[in-house]
Amino acid sequence: MRPFTYETPAARIVFGPGCAERVLAEEVERLGARRVLVVTTPRHTSLAASLPVVATFDGVRPHVPEETVDDAVAVATWADADAVVCVGGGSATGTAKAIALRTALPIVAVPTTYAGSEVTPVWGTTDGARKITGRSPLVVPKTVLYDPALTLTLPATTTAASAMNAMAHCVEAFYAPGANPITDLVAAEGVRVIADALPGVMADPAGVTGRTGLLYGAYLAGSAFAAAGSGLHHKICHVLGGAFGLPHAETHTVLLPHVAAFNEPAVPALRTRVAPALGDVNVTDGLTRLAARIGAPKSLAQIGLAKDDLDMAIKLVLEKDLSDNPRDVGEPEVRRILTGALRGRLPAATAPSPTRGEPR
Ligand code: NAD
């Protein structure tokens, strides 16, 4: 076994249907908060009724633009808030994290999608066309309330994409820079739980049992991602979301089998751990079959990338540090991955190639 460092952000997790309504006020009080800023979308404002709210910021926008953060921080300062409660998807959580990064206010997070951001120290904002990300202990929510009942209203297409976003956290956790035996364990279980639950949720979106499985999978996925970090897949997704405004979760869904197919020859664990958890013999087929079963988008063209954007996308991806990828990756490889994803065509079989360091 390789030597490893495993750092996990210490958050308090409360999990179960109905927990948000039952214990949100208690959990906020537990932190000693008396002046709460609620960060949410108009859909979820009612949950805050039991809280000592001094202000509500419901101007959450996808990809967390810096102007939105400026506005939200101004509200927090004006209201003299002593805590942030965010209720919503990754965009609401991301806005709360960006506020915490500037103000050090503690966060209580109530996620309503499967993004997993609520358990990671990763923050991300967009400045014009550029996505900026970083890691800071300041942005890790102190408490997370996972309430599957709040996810029942998530539309089927958003559910599918968001769950595949969680799946991407798990798959990439096997070769991201901080990958270790514990993240392998958590991520493999995340893949299994998500792959088991997702088709059932698509068939019965109002079923609490399926939603509970999916939200648990999302928690595992976020936890694995938190410790393992970002690799090639997430770096490409950040470029596509930041520079071309592609929808976050759908971009992950389309790109995942392409990057997995590229890295599979250099990452044996994708075949020995992930593929079996998907019920398949190789990870690419497993992901492609799952995506087809849930009717997920197949190409970047389908979700808004134009053919003319390809060269700029490749250039921006190559500006990132890709040196920690297990397979050498340069212009030809990025072009192959992005061209395939743009058209929705996977490579037939990817030949094994030299790996960096010890194969995982
Ligand atoms: P999102 O938060 O933008 O939500 C997608 C859509 O679903 C929105 O229209 C939202 O209003 C709606 N929605 C949310 N919950 C709902 C519910 N229960 N019922 C009905 N509609 C609901 O998207 P997302 O995919 O959850 O998050 C994407 C963002 O999260 C991106 O900015 C991404 O970078 C970030 N993210 C960050 C991390 C991290 O670790 N920092 C991890 C994953 C994602």
Side-chain angles (χ1 to χ4, degrees):
M1 186 188 294
R2 296 186 322 169
F4 66 89
T5 303
Y6 176 58
E7 187 175 342
T8 175
R12 175 176 161 87
I13 306 295
V14 182
F15 191 103
C19 73
E21 201 148 315
R22 232 177 15 251
V23 301
L24 178 58
E26 202 178 306
E27 291 295 333
V28 166
E29 202 180 327
R30 199 171 174 276
L31 291 180
R34 298 276 177 273
R35 304 180 59 80
V36 169
L37 168 68
V38 176
V39 173
T40 187
T41 50
R43 170 186 307 279
H44 289 115
T45 43
S46 61
L47 248 194
S50 59
L51 303 179
V53 176
V54 288
T56 298
F57 181 82
D58 65 3
V60 167
R61 286 168 54 202
H63 301 301
V64 194
E66 284 281 336
E67 312 87 79
T68 304
V69 181
D70 293 342
D71 293 347
V73 168
V75 174
T77 310
W78 163 82
D80 193 21
D82 62 4
V84 180
V85 170
C86 58
V87 187
S91 300
T93 311
T95 306
K97 284 174 150 185
I99 298 170
L101 188 68
R102 293 202 205 162
T103 62
L105 289 175
I107 302 174
V108 174
V110 187
T112 63
T113 68
Y114 308 111
S117 173
E118 61 284 344
V119 284
T120 83
V122 180
W123 56 268
T125 58
T126 45
D127 185 8
R130 210 161 57 92
K131 181 141 188 165
I132 313 157
T133 59
R135 293 172 77 90
S136 167
L138 280 180
V139 307
V140 181
K142 300 282 179 264
T143 308
V144 182
L145 271 64
Y146 281 107
D147 184 346
L150 297 179
T151 64
L152 297 178
T153 49
L154 205 55
T157 48
T158 319
T159 297
S162 187
M164 291 305 275
N165 182 195
M167 181 67 85
H169 297 335
C170 295
V171 173
E172 186 139 284
F174 280 90
Y175 59 81
N180 64 60
I182 301 161
T183 54
D184 285 2
L185 204 64
V186 174
E189 182 64 357
V191 172
R192 192 190 64 74
V193 170
I194 295 166
D196 270 5
L198 183 52
V201 171
M202 297 304 286
D204 176 20
V208 176
T209 307
R211 291 285 186 180
T212 302
L214 220 43
L215 198 59
Y216 177 56
Y219 164 51
L220 295 174
S223 305
F225 176 53
S230 282
L232 179 63
H233 169 87
H234 281 79
K235 288 173 189 173
I236 299 178
C237 287
H238 284 168
V239 165
L240 297 175
F244 305 100
L246 261 56
H248 178 83
E250 287 80 357
T251 307
H252 276 271
T253 310
V254 171
L255 204 66
L256 182 58
H258 293 269
V259 180
F262 175 71
N263 271 335
E264 191 167 9
V267 187
L270 290 181
R271 193 172 285 262
T272 58
R273 307 283 301 269
V274 181
L278 287 165
D280 221 306
V281 288
N282 72 67
V283 72
T284 315
D285 288 349
L287 290 171
T288 310
R289 286 206 182 100
L290 179 62
R293 266 183 92 182
I294 60 171
K298 287 197 185 109
S299 71
L300 294 177
Q302 245 177 303
I303 59 168
L305 191 72
K307 203 172 153 214
D308 290 348
D309 294 333
L310 197 62
D311 285 338
M312 177 55 75
I314 294 164
K315 179 176 169 289
L316 293 173
V317 170
L318 290 169
E319 283 173 8
K320 305 242 170 209
D321 178 8
L322 307 178
S323 61
D324 54 19
N325 193 60
R327 256 187 101 173
D328 282 324
V329 53
E331 202 271 348
E333 290 78 19
V334 173
R335 182 171 292 280
R336 186 150 33 100
I337 291 169
L338 278 177
T339 306
L342 179 73
R343 297 178 180 153
R345 283 197 212 128
L346 279 158
T350 319
S353 80
T355 60
R356 289 202 177 91
E358 186 185 339
R360 292 184 46 74

